[in-house]
Amino acid sequence: MFIYYFLLVNLVIWIVLSIYLVANTRKIAFLKDQPVTDKKPGVAIVIAVRDEEDHLREALSSVCNLNYRALRVVVVNDRSTDKTGEILTELSTSYPQLHIETISSLPPGWLGKTHALYKGYGQVHEEWILFTDADVVFGPDALKKAMSYALANRLDHLTVLPQVKSRSEVLNSVVSTFQVMLEIKLRPWEARNTKSKASIGVGAFNLVRKTAYEEAGTHEKIKLRPDDDLQLAQAFKLAGLRTDVLYGEDEIELEWYHSISDFVNGLMKNTFSAFNYQFIPAMVAAFGAFVAFALPIPLGLLSGELKTILLACALLLVQLLLNLGRRGNSTRWWYSFSLTYGGALLSYITFKATFKTLKDKGIYWRGTFYSLKELRSNQ
């Protein structure tokens, strides 16, 4: 009887949640649908790179070939030990708008990426800054469309959610589950609402007005945050600045991780930071993901009772309709069947990341150890 009522409650929750997500994700527009205006203020694209030889050439070529005249690209090479430096030197001979800064040491009290982005900002004299990553591939008109939208809506900060792809279809399905969880937690459609605390930022595309970036405190305010992209957006919101978000499907793309193991290892170092290094919120989130995503359908299908099996099938149908109706990155219908696996995996990552950080009393980031005390000090 407990399993029946457990599934019934979950079914009701998923119906409500599905309606909520489908309705609200449709409030977010697509970058590809935005018109282009003639006004094009100066933009500096700032990219922090470290050992990025696998993706750097393709990504930087797409950046330097953006259809935007008033553009300069500032690449900060942060202590790379692979062929990144050679690739940058080679590309600079073909693209005069490419400016390279090299960092040989990391000062105390900074994460490497936040420090590199901050150093890049120091080279900017343009009106706008686009912070992006070294593995992001842009469509030729992506920046023009984003800038037109930012100007038309008088924004200080615009995030574009990239189309995330992987060579692993299983990982693509897990990323789809991850995106659903992020939408529940962050409510990106509320970012433009000045009365809401909701905000959203991604490392792939944070377009900011330089003066507003300075008013929000720059990366110096979040210098020890592994989730610097989210924190930058929150800093804009807390400063009372105007922010918004678009979907970047067909315009901005990246391969986030190659495999499930890369995905797990990559999130292990920064998941706990998303909960401000607070044990109870992290455990509530991990337990909630397991109970709501991972447990219901297997429990119902394995119960052996017809009524619970039917409830599990009904729940699966609701999740399928959610996947088909929710806007955002392109998904395949069968990703709905991976919500159970994705939920279990993300619950595991949250549990393990929390306990590992507490056990180690800190995290290792790009070969440097940061104590938990130090990380918590930059809240």
Side-chain angles (χ1 to χ4, degrees):
M1 188 61 70
F2 169 78
I3 296 177
Y4 174 79
Y5 285 112
F6 172 75
L7 287 172
L8 186 61
V9 169
N10 263 279
L11 179 60
V12 172
I13 290 173
W14 272 98
I15 291 173
V16 173
L17 182 64
S18 297
I19 295 172
Y20 173 75
L21 289 177
V22 169
N24 282 297
T25 55
R26 291 180 177 275
K27 296 177 181 178
I28 302 174
F30 285 94
L31 177 63
K32 63 183 178 181
D33 296 333
Q34 303 311 307
V36 175
T37 61
D38 293 332
K39 188 176 181 180
K40 299 179 183 67
V43 179
I45 299 181
V46 176
I47 308 173
V49 302
R50 184 175 184 189
D51 297 338
E52 303 281 0
E53 63 181 9
D54 292 341
H55 300 281
L56 186 59
R57 193 183 303 276
E58 180 186 9
L60 263 189
S61 294
S62 76
V63 169
C64 292
N65 283 302
L66 281 167
N67 187 11
Y68 199 99
R69 288 187 178 180
L71 177 66
R72 196 163 58 95
V73 182
V74 179
V75 179
V76 183
N77 185 8
D78 180 22
R79 299 165 293 151
S80 293
T81 57
D82 64 358
K83 294 181 180 179
T84 293
E86 298 174 27
I87 295 172
L88 289 175
T89 300
E90 178 186 334
L91 289 172
S92 65
T93 61
S94 302
Y95 300 109
Q97 69 270 47
L98 183 59
H99 176 79
I100 301 170
E101 286 288 309
T102 301
I103 294 176
S104 57
S105 62
L106 178 65
W110 285 86
L111 287 178
K113 182 183 177 183
T114 54
H115 176 250
L117 292 176
Y118 183 72
K119 292 290 286 187
Y121 147 72
Q123 301 299 316
V124 172
H125 51 73
E126 287 78 5
E127 184 180 350
W128 288 81
I129 307 172
L130 171 59
F131 293 109
T132 187
D133 291 332
D135 53 358
V136 181
V137 178
F138 291 81
D141 292 326
L143 182 57
K144 283 202 304 186
K145 292 177 180 180
M147 183 56 70
S148 296
Y149 185 86
L151 294 175
N153 291 277
R154 295 177 296 129
L155 300 179
D156 298 299
H157 167 251
L158 174 65
T159 291
V160 178
L161 303 175
Q163 185 169 357
V164 181
K165 291 185 176 180
S166 170
R167 61 199 71 183
S168 165
E169 278 297 323
V170 176
L171 178 55
N172 284 332
S173 69
V174 171
V175 169
S176 179
T177 302
F178 180 71
Q179 289 168 340
V180 170
M181 292 183 175
L182 277 183
E183 287 167 355
I184 295 170
K185 176 178 171 58
L186 299 177
R187 297 173 293 125
W189 50 84
E190 285 290 325
R192 67 173 68 96
N193 184 354
T194 56
K195 296 180 180 179
S196 170
K197 294 181 180 179
S199 62
I200 177 71
V202 293
F205 197 103
N206 271 321
L207 179 65
V208 303
R209 194 187 301 271
K210 184 183 177 185
T211 54
Y213 170 68
E214 293 165 345
E215 185 179 343
T218 75
H219 278 87
E220 189 171 22
K221 185 176 180 179
I222 53 173
K223 56 187 178 182
L224 280 171
R225 294 295 308 216
D227 54 345
D228 61 286
D229 46 4
L230 294 174
Q231 294 301 314
L232 181 63
Q234 188 176 69
F236 271 80
K237 203 63 182 287
L238 291 175
L241 299 165
R242 294 179 61 86
T243 181
D244 205 348
V245 60
L246 296 170
Y247 286 126
E249 186 175 350
D250 297 332
E251 291 285 353
I252 299 174
E253 177 184 314
L254 83 155
E255 183 173 17
W256 194 15
Y257 292 106
H258 298 329
S259 64
I260 292 292
S261 60
D262 288 344
F263 177 78
V264 172
N265 292 332
L267 292 188
M268 201 62 65
K269 62 183 180 294
N270 59 11
T271 297
F272 195 26
S273 69
F275 303 98
N276 291 319
Y277 303 103
Q278 299 297 313
F279 177 77
I280 292 179
M283 291 300 96
V284 168
F287 183 73
F290 183 77
V291 170
F293 283 78
L295 189 58
I297 291 177
L299 193 64
L301 294 178
L302 296 174
S303 66
E305 295 186 15
L306 179 60
K307 60 182 181 180
T308 53
I309 292 174
L310 290 175
L311 277 177
C313 292
L315 181 54
L316 186 58
L317 177 61
V318 170
Q319 292 177 349
L320 174 62
L321 293 174
L322 165 63
N323 190 54
L324 294 175
R326 184 175 62 90
R327 289 183 76 171
N329 284 312
S330 299
T331 60
R332 300 182 185 274
W333 66 269
W334 64 265
Y335 287 0
S336 306
F337 296 100
S338 74
L339 280 169
T340 294
Y341 170 65
L345 183 65
L346 288 161
S347 179
Y348 162 77
I349 291 172
T350 304
F351 273 117
K352 185 171 180 180
T354 299
F355 284 101
K356 178 175 173 54
T357 304
L358 291 173
K359 176 179 175 291
D360 295 342
K361 297 182 180 180
I363 63 170
Y364 282 93
W365 186 278
R366 296 280 190 167
T368 302
F369 180 77
Y370 299 89
S371 71
L372 189 55
K373 181 179 179 181
E374 185 180 20
L375 294 168
R376 280 173 169 164
S377 69
N378 188 212
Q379 300 296 324

